[in-house]
């Protein structure tokens, strides 16, 4: 396929959407609804804890940190349960926990209640996210084998739906926040009730492929797949890079402009890039570059995002470093994520997709847990040598590109038959 054909192939995917199986459309719409409900509440949680409940900054940080850890760190649990019991019951359990978590966050007036609500909302995602991703990977894989649509294009559409939700949720939350934070939480909880009902009625109860096997068998298989573990290690830095939109970007805006007023427009820019460009970029990357080169170029682009800040910071009174950071980081993400999500089931041999997606997400969560503290320390100490934190951040995706590039040269990321080291 030529590069121009790859760029425009995404229109075929969009035209085929009405003809795709209902379960695929449901799973894509699920990502939209999940993100609307999530971003209704989470952008405003810190303000609620500080202004309404008068909690200190350290306590607020603890609450937010526990929420993140209970989500990313426990994805492996949701993945294993998906392989053991099937996607549908795990998704429904996650929806129920998210409803309970949002209700508790809205009603809680003490720290234990807030902590409980935060942990429930995080663990809910640890259940339903790998279940949804593994279900979509299986359904889209069948469509690709039938020659109907590429799985990477379906995952690109999945990413676009999530981004639309990430833009819509905060806008709805801001409107409801004018009434009360409790109302925001209750509306988000009601949305997850609707999501749960939709899945209960429309999501097929596919038999779990590994229902008769011990729960820990999935972990043993994943940990025995050395090719996948190397891929997960190389890919894990992606989430740390992406999280710099919440840590390093505000730091740079405060340095350049004295406040974070430009944060909203820059987030909108990133969302606009993904909504308009994700499908054509993913299709072009798969057709013109392939999995290996696409991932390496994507990680190199993310490295360039941080290097650009180090180079452009000396320019006085300009937001150009921050704009370059957002544009290049988002461009790298658009290349990397659909290709990586398409590779997971291939490297897994189309088996135990819940466990594999769970381990991949948890590897990223571990990278964030370890790397964020170091990044924060470097940013605090950057007055001694301002380029230091940006150069250190640039090294993270470069390391990932080196690992993935070596795998690609060995043929491990060819995207054909699975490369597995364990039966």
């Amino acid at each position: 396929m030529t590069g121009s054909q790859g760029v425009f192939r995404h229109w075929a995917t969009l035209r085929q959407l009405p003809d795709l199986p209902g379960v695929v459309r449901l799973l894509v719409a699920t990502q939209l609804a999940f993100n609307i409900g999530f971003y209704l509440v989470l952008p405003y949680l810190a303000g609620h804890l500080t202004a309404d409940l008068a909690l200190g900054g350290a306590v607020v940080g603890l609450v937010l940190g526990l929420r993140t850890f209970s989500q990313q760190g426990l994805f492996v649990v949701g993945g294993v349960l998906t392989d053991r019991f099937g996607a549908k019951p795990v998704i429904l359990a996650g929806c129920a926990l998210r409803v309970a978590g949002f209700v508790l966050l809205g009603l809680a007036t003490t720290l234990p209640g807030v902590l409980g609500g935060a942990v429930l909302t995080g663990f809910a995602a640890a259940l339903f996210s790998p279940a949804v991703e593994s279900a979509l990977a299986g359904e889209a894989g069948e469509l690709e084998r039938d020659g109907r649509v590429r799985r990477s294009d379906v995952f690109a559409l999945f990413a676009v739906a999530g981004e639309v939700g990430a833009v819509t949720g905060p806008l709805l939350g801001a409107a409801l926040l004018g009434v009360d934070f409790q109302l925001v939480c209750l509306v988000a909880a009601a949305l997850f009730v609707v999501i749960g009902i939709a899945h209960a009625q429309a999501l097929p109860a596919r038999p779990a492929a590994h229902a008769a096997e011990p729960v820990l068998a999935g972990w043993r298989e994943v940990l025995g797949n050395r090719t996948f573990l190397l891929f997960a290690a190389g890919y894990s830095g992606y989430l740390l890079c992406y999280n710099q939109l919440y840590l390093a970007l505000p730091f740079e805006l405060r340095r350049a402009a004295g406040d974070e007023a430009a944060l909203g427009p820059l987030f909108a820019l990133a969302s606009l890039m993904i909504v308009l460009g994700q499908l054509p970029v993913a299709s072009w990357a798969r057709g013109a570059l392939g999995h290996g080169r696409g991932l390496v170029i994507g990680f190199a682009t993310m490295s360039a995002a941080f290097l650009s800040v180090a180079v452009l910071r000396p320019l006085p009174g300009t937001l150009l470093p921050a704009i370059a950071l957002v544009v290049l980081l988002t461009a790298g993400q658009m290349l990397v994520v659909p290709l990586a999500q398409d590779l997971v089931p291939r490297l897994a041999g189309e088996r135990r997709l819940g466990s594999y997606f769970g381990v991949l997400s948890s590897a990223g969560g571990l990278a964030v847990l370890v790397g964020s503290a170091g990044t924060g320390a470097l940013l605090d100490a950057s007055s001694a040598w301002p380029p230091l934190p940006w150069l250190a951040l640039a090294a993270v995706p470069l390391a990932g590109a080196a690992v993935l590039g070596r795998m690609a040269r060995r043929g491990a990321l060819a995207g054909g038959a699975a490369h597995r080291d364990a039966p």
Side-chain angles (χ1 to χ4, degrees), residues 278 281 284-285 289 294-295 297-298 301 331-339:
Q278 180 66 87
V281 167
W284 170 77
L289 300 176
L295 287 171
I297 292 174
T301 303
Q333 173 190 350
M334 291 162 64
L335 277 171
V336 162
V337 173
L339 292 175

Side-chain angles (χ1 to χ4, degrees), residues 51-356:
D52 299 334
L53 301 187
L55 298 178
V59 176
V60 173
L62 172 65
V63 172
L64 297 180
L66 282 174
R67 194 215 64 79
T68 300
F69 178 77
S70 64
Q71 177 172 325
Q72 293 295 147
L74 297 178
F75 263 52
V76 290
V77 176
V80 168
L81 292 177
T82 298
D83 290 338
R84 179 67 175 77
F85 299 105
K88 183 170 184 175
V90 177
I91 292 173
L92 294 179
C95 289
L97 287 181
R98 182 56 69 83
V99 170
F102 278 152
V103 170
L104 189 54
L105 279 178
L107 299 180
T109 57
T110 63
L111 180 58
V114 169
L115 287 173
V119 170
L120 283 177
T121 58
F123 185 55
L127 291 180
F128 58 61
S129 288
V132 168
E133 289 176 354
S134 63
L136 185 62
E139 299 290 340
E142 291 184 10
L143 294 177
E144 184 173 68
R145 287 188 289 274
D146 292 341
R148 296 180 60 182
V149 65
R150 284 176 168 174
R151 179 160 49 191
S152 59
D153 288 343
V154 175
F155 269 114
L157 185 65
F158 187 73
V160 170
E163 201 63 34
V164 172
V167 174
T168 306
L171 297 177
L172 294 177
L176 295 172
L177 200 62
V179 179
D180 186 44
F181 180 78
Q182 184 179 104
L183 177 63
V184 175
C185 291
L186 294 179
V187 169
L191 178 59
F192 275 87
V193 170
V194 173
I195 295 171
I197 292 174
H199 281 80
Q201 293 181 344
L203 187 66
R206 309 248 189 246
H210 306 281
E213 302 174 18
V215 171
L216 296 182
W219 287 359
R220 286 195 295 271
E221 180 170 323
V222 175
L223 295 178
N225 189 333
R226 292 184 295 276
T227 299
F228 173 78
L229 292 180
L230 186 60
F231 167 74
Y235 182 73
S236 64
Y238 156 71
L239 193 59
L240 175 61
C241 293
Y242 176 78
N243 270 266
Q244 299 317 307
L245 293 176
Y246 305 99
L247 180 59
L249 176 61
F251 177 89
E252 170 58 22
L253 289 176
R254 289 192 297 269
R255 180 203 67 83
D259 58 36
E260 301 174 12
L263 198 59
L266 287 174
F267 274 21
L269 172 62
S271 297
L272 186 65
M273 287 179 63
I274 294 175
V275 170
L276 296 180
Q278 180 66 87
L279 283 168
V281 167
S283 184
W284 170 77
R286 171 72 187 275
L289 300 176
H291 289 84
R293 280 205 301 160
L295 287 171
V296 170
I297 292 174
F299 272 88
T301 303
M302 287 189 280
S303 180
F306 299 116
L307 288 174
S308 68
V309 180
V311 171
L312 297 173
R313 282 181 90 257
L315 297 176
T318 177
L319 293 180
L320 189 57
I323 294 172
L325 174 66
V326 170
V327 170
L328 291 173
L329 201 57
T330 303
Q333 173 190 350
M334 291 162 64
L335 277 171
V336 162
V337 173
L339 292 175
Q341 288 180 318
D342 182 45
L343 266 175
V344 171
R346 299 173 189 274
L347 297 175
E350 307 292 341
R351 288 169 46 85
R352 299 192 183 278
L353 299 185
S355 295
Y356 277 92

Side-chain angles (χ1 to χ4, degrees), residues 1-7 9 150 283-284 286-288:
M1 175 179 293
T2 67
S4 60
Q5 288 174 322
V7 170
R9 181 185 174 93
R150 284 176 168 174
S283 184
W284 170 77
R286 171 72 187 275

